[in-house]
């Protein structure tokens, strides 16, 4: 089958929620409903963009495989309990399907580190399709040196090489769309392999298709061990799969999101790089994995954190690279237009140097959950946890940047609460792990002092609620963690009053919540609803015995997921559009924990 060059019309911008996720636990691609891969970094999540059209515009490259003409309907789904994505277009009297995925399991075999497999098949009638392969590497959209071989197209940029193989054989030129005709009796398979500072391994398309099938079965085996009786199990499984795809397998560190600079405020400047590891977010993910019996993910993350924090220990960095190194300085990319003209596009993250007290609480809580599940901490891990607790005991009276990473430090009540949690959980771990009495007394004294100060300075009696920071009248949805901590009795007026006040005063309509009053963070532009907060509200309601309300809220929230069950960080309450980097690990982890809270909640 030979392809023909095609002149195509410019593609219209896709909504964030119109993208599906392909991943192999090392990097991830976002593929639009028209079959265009508009975001893929190589060789890792935080590597250079190979296809960057999503935020870099048409000059940043794409890899589109889909119908050449107009379509009347589009259907998309993941194959049951797998990471294989199917998109089907109705085109005239025929149907064109794209089945695609990335091979996760490459260890122990001669396979490329990144192997993307895409297959087009037709039903009912032959369908005209288009292939647009336009890789542009890095910040400057560098075109490759092209080697058109008899069996593959090879693109090179120094030590990085990408190959494209097709079956049946096709002539594809980078940057030039090509039309083909897909017939019902002859599917078309395309295989892209990436090699970074290693030999480029070529895989026959049919062999690659078989590898994708094997990978699909491994994902089904992985999900089969998840409790069948879980409420909202299908939503939980999809979220856990998404979280696992976003966990960098060589180090077991979960990335916050696979993208940079998808805007929280379209057209504005709230555009950040999330392709790094926040120990806080990762710890929440670990707790979710532990709760469904996936202890390997927790063990792997704790081992990674032990390694990653060693140079800054006992201080816990706010965020780290996938390899546990310092996050690059934040910079703006000149000439990158951004998604829907939301500039600047940024790489690196300026929050890396912030003091965020709450992170210590989440990390030590994850270690406690690991120990509570019957897994003893290694002695070096316990030493690291003890060091973190010592930092909290010493530094908790200081202001910090808080969970929302504001630029002006304050005495954030949520941070103080998480400092209390860090010390409380460290003391609980110490019940089964060695600890000198003097250190134990120091932690207990600091823990009790935090509780006393927060109850005095962080609570507003008139609102019957804890507040965002000392002396403030603002609320903070992160305080919905309060009933999970056991600092105050869950039936106390303080806990219930805080939940009710947040639900009423931070409402964004329906089940949606703002994380704090919009416009109160020092950045220009507007603030959308923050999706994890709604799932935290589900947890809080379930924990305090309001089971029916929790279920109703959860049911409303899953209605805001994309058709593929994915969630961004934020959502526009007026339009329902997903905003911010996508998909967001924290949102999916919060969904899982909300479902588990419903499972474990006392029934009326």
């Amino acid at each position: 089958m030979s392809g023909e060059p095609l002149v195509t019309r410019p593609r219209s911008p896709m909504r964030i929620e119109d993208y599906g996720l392909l991943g192999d636990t090392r990097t991830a691609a976002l593929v639009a409903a028209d079959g265009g891969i508009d975001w893929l970094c190589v060789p890792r999540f935080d590597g250079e963009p190979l296809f960057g059209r999503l935020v870099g515009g048409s000059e940043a490259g794409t890899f589109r495989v889909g119908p050449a003409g107009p379509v009347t309907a589009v259907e998309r789904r993941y194959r049951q309990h797998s990471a294989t994505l199917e998109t089907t277009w109705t085109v005239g009297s025929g149907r064109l399907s794209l089945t695609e995925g990335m091979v996760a399991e490459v260890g122990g075999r001669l396979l490329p580190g990144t192997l993307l497999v895409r297959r087009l098949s037709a039903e009912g009638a032959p369908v005209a399709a288009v292939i647009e392969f336009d890789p542009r590497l890095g910040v400057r959209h560098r075109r490759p040196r092209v080697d058109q071989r008899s069996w593959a197209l090879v693109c090179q940029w120094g030590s990085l090489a990408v190959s494209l193989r097709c079956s049946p054989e096709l002539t594809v030129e980078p940057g030039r769309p090509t039309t083909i005709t897909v017939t019902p009796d002859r599917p078309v398979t395309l295989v892209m392999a990436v090699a970074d500072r290693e030999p480029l391994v070529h895989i026959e398309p049919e062999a690659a298709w078989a590898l994708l099938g094997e990978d699909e079965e491994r994902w089904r085996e992985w999900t089969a061990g998840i409790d069948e009786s879980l409420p909202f199990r299908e939503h939980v499984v999809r979220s856990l799969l998404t979280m696992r795809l976003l966990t960098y397998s060589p180090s077991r560190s979960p990335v916050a999101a696979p993208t940079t600079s998808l805007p929280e405020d379209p057209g504005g400047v709230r555009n950040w790089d999330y392709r790094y590891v926040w120990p806080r977010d990762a710890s929440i993910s670990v707790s979710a994995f532990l709760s469904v019996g996936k202890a390997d993910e927790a063990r792997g993350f704790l081992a990674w954190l032990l390694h990653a924090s060693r140079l800054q220990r006992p201080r816990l960095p706010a965020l780290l690279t996938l390899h546990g190194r310092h996050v690059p300085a934040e910079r703006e990319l000149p000439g990158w237009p951004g998604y829907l003209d939301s500039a600047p596009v940024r790489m690196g993250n300026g929050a890396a140097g912030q003091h965020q007290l709450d992170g210590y609480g989440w990390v030590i809580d994850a270690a406690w959950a690991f120990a509570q599940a019957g897994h003893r901490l290694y002695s070096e891990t316990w030493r690291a946890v003890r060091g973190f607790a010592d930092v909290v005991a010493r530094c908790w009276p200081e202001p910090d940047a808080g969970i929302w990473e504001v630029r002006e430090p304050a005495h954030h009540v949520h941070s103080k609460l998480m400092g209390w949690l860090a010390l409380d959980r460290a003391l609980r771990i110490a019940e089964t792990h060695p600890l000198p009495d003097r250190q134990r007394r120091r932690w207990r004294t600091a823990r009790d002092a935090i509780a006393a100060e927060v109850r005095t300075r962080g609570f507003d009696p008139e609102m019957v609620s804890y507040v965002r920071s000392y002396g403030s009248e603002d609320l903070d949805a992160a305080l919905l963690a309060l009933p999970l901590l056991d600092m105050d009795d869950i039936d106390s007026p303080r806990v219930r009053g805080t939940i009710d006040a947040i639900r009423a005063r931070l409402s964004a309509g329906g089940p949606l919540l703002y994380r704090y009053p919009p416009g109160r963070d020092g950045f220009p532009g507007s603030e959308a609803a923050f999706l994890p907060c709604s799932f935290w509200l589900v947890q809080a309601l379930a924990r305090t015995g309001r089971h029916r309300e929790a279920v109703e809220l959860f049911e409303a929230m899953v209605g805001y997921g994309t058709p593929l069950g994915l969630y961004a960080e934020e959502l526009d309450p007026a339009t329902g559009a997903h905003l911010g980097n996508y998909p967001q690990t924290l949102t999916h982890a919060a969904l899982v924990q909300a479902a588990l809270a419903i499972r474990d909640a006392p029934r009326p």
Side-chain angles (χ1 to χ4, degrees):
M1 180 188 299
S2 61
E4 299 178 0
L6 174 72
V7 178
T8 59
R9 296 188 301 272
R11 291 168 60 204
S12 300
M14 295 283 171
R15 300 176 302 175
I16 291 173
E17 59 265 31
D18 287 335
Y19 283 91
L21 175 74
L22 306 178
D24 60 7
T25 74
R26 292 173 296 280
T27 188
L30 292 190
V31 53
D34 67 353
I37 291 179
D38 293 334
W39 186 256
L40 173 65
C41 293
V42 292
R44 302 177 304 276
F45 295 107
D46 61 354
E48 291 195 284
L50 182 69
F51 306 119
R53 181 182 182 275
L54 183 65
V55 292
S58 59
E59 296 299 312
T62 188
F63 181 13
R64 187 164 82 90
V65 177
V71 303
T72 57
V74 181
E75 302 169 25
R76 305 187 87 191
R77 70 179 187 100
Y78 284 106
R79 288 188 172 179
Q80 181 76 356
H81 297 169
S82 81
T84 303
L85 178 61
E86 289 184 342
T87 305
T88 300
W89 302 275
T90 301
V91 185
S93 60
R95 286 164 61 86
L96 181 69
S97 293
L98 172 62
T99 305
E100 56 189 333
M102 300 172 74
V103 177
E105 185 55 64
V106 297
R109 293 181 289 182
L110 188 59
L111 293 175
T114 299
L115 186 62
L116 169 68
V117 186
R118 316 186 79 187
R119 171 170 281 192
L120 283 171
S121 56
E123 294 179 48
V127 179
V130 63
I131 299 170
E132 183 181 0
F133 184 70
D134 188 16
R136 307 282 192 93
L137 187 68
V139 171
R140 298 183 179 179
H141 316 319
R142 288 183 288 146
R143 295 178 183 271
R145 180 165 62 86
V146 178
D147 187 0
Q148 191 71 257
R149 303 179 187 179
S150 59
W151 40 268
L153 168 70
V154 177
C155 300
Q156 288 184 279
W157 301 263
S159 62
L160 182 80
V162 174
S163 69
L164 181 68
R165 298 193 70 169
C166 309
S167 175
E169 289 187 4
L170 297 169
T171 300
V172 177
E173 297 180 41
R176 297 192 66 187
T178 299
T179 55
I180 61 173
T181 300
V182 183
T183 59
D185 63 332
R186 198 172 193 192
V188 176
T189 306
L190 300 100
V191 179
M192 189 188 83
V194 180
D196 178 53
R197 290 175 290 183
E198 61 187 6
L200 182 58
V201 179
H202 300 288
I203 306 295
E204 291 285 347
E206 291 306 313
W209 179 250
L211 288 169
L212 185 63
E214 293 173 12
D215 224 50
E216 193 173 316
E217 287 305 313
R218 272 189 289 271
W219 284 120
R220 290 201 179 100
E221 291 174 8
W222 187 83
T223 59
I226 299 170
D227 184 2
E228 291 283 350
S229 65
L230 269 176
F232 306 101
R233 185 176 187 272
E234 291 306 307
H235 297 285
V236 171
V237 168
R238 179 50 54 194
S239 284
L240 287 166
L241 264 170
T242 302
M243 292 158 57
R244 187 64 186 87
L245 287 173
L246 297 179
T247 299
Y248 184 58
S249 57
S251 64
R252 297 297 184 95
S253 50
V255 69
T259 56
T260 180
S261 301
L262 286 178
E264 299 170 8
D265 178 24
V269 300
R270 296 168 179 262
N271 318 314
W272 315 109
D273 191 351
Y274 276 20
R275 299 171 303 144
Y276 306 110
V277 183
W278 272 255
R280 170 208 306 117
D281 297 13
S283 297
I284 295 171
S285 298
V286 161
S287 295
F289 281 127
L290 268 173
S291 297
V292 296
K294 298 295 182 184
D296 285 347
E297 281 70 19
R299 185 180 293 105
F301 167 71
L302 290 173
W304 172 82
L305 186 64
L306 180 70
H307 165 80
S309 63
R310 70 195 187 286
L311 296 179
Q312 299 181 60
R313 201 182 300 155
R315 177 181 173 270
L316 178 67
L319 60 153
L320 294 155
T321 69
L322 298 169
H323 290 301
R325 297 174 183 151
H326 293 286
V327 170
E330 191 171 286
R331 61 189 175 118
E332 299 178 1
L333 305 188
W336 284 59
Y339 176 82
L340 295 182
D341 297 322
S342 303
V345 173
R346 295 181 172 96
M347 288 190 175
N349 198 297
Q354 290 183 344
H355 168 49
Q356 297 177 15
L357 182 66
D358 71 291
Y360 294 87
W362 293 113
V363 167
I364 296 179
D365 185 56
W368 174 70
F370 185 73
Q372 190 183 37
H375 310 285
R376 190 172 180 82
L377 300 180
Y378 293 124
S379 58
E380 190 177 355
T381 305
W382 177 223
R383 279 198 298 273
V385 169
R386 285 164 53 185
F388 295 152
D390 283 339
V391 170
V392 174
R394 183 175 67 252
C395 295
W396 74 264
E398 301 172 6
D400 81 324
I403 186 173
W404 308 127
E405 301 179 344
V406 296
R407 300 301 166 99
E408 290 295 328
H411 290 285
H412 294 101
V413 174
H414 172 261
S415 296
K416 308 294 186 187
L417 290 173
M418 299 310 292
W420 182 94
L421 180 72
L423 295 169
D424 182 76
R425 299 311 190 249
L427 286 164
R428 296 190 190 194
I429 297 172
E431 293 174 4
T432 55
H433 292 69
L435 182 71
D437 288 340
R438 191 167 71 175
Q439 199 170 18
R440 190 191 310 270
R441 288 193 299 270
R442 186 165 65 247
W443 292 356
R444 186 177 291 115
T445 298
R447 181 194 64 180
D448 295 344
I450 294 173
E453 181 175 289
V454 167
R455 289 185 181 120
T456 302
R457 301 183 62 190
F459 186 78
D460 187 318
E462 292 186 8
M463 286 193 292
V464 196
S465 174
Y466 286 99
V467 293
R468 185 178 179 188
S469 60
Y470 292 170
S472 170
E473 295 181 355
D474 289 346
L475 298 181
D476 182 351
L479 294 170
L480 290 167
L482 185 63
L484 312 178
L485 309 186
D486 300 324
M487 188 186 84
D488 286 336
D489 188 89
I490 59 172
D491 293 321
S492 74
R494 286 173 175 256
V495 170
R496 292 181 176 272
T498 300
I499 295 171
D500 291 338
I502 289 171
R503 193 174 189 183
R505 297 183 57 172
L506 294 182
S507 173
L512 301 175
L513 292 176
Y514 295 111
R515 49 183 165 174
Y516 42 70
R520 302 289 186 89
D521 59 6
F523 292 104
S526 61
E527 176 78 10
F530 198 79
L531 291 172
C533 296
S534 294
F535 290 115
W536 293 344
L537 177 56
V538 173
Q539 276 187 279
L541 291 171
R543 174 73 172 162
T544 53
R546 297 158 75 173
H547 183 270
R548 180 182 58 79
E549 293 177 73
V551 170
E552 290 175 353
L553 185 64
F554 193 101
E555 289 173 341
M557 280 305 299
V558 296
Y560 285 103
T562 74
L564 294 174
L566 303 177
Y567 294 83
E569 179 181 37
E570 298 188 8
L571 189 132
D572 185 335
T575 65
H578 285 241
L579 299 173
N581 287 303
Y582 170 88
Q584 180 85 359
T585 298
L586 179 60
T587 310
H588 286 276
L591 181 152
V592 173
Q593 291 191 318
L596 292 166
I598 289 172
R599 179 196 65 184
D600 299 335
R603 300 298 177 91

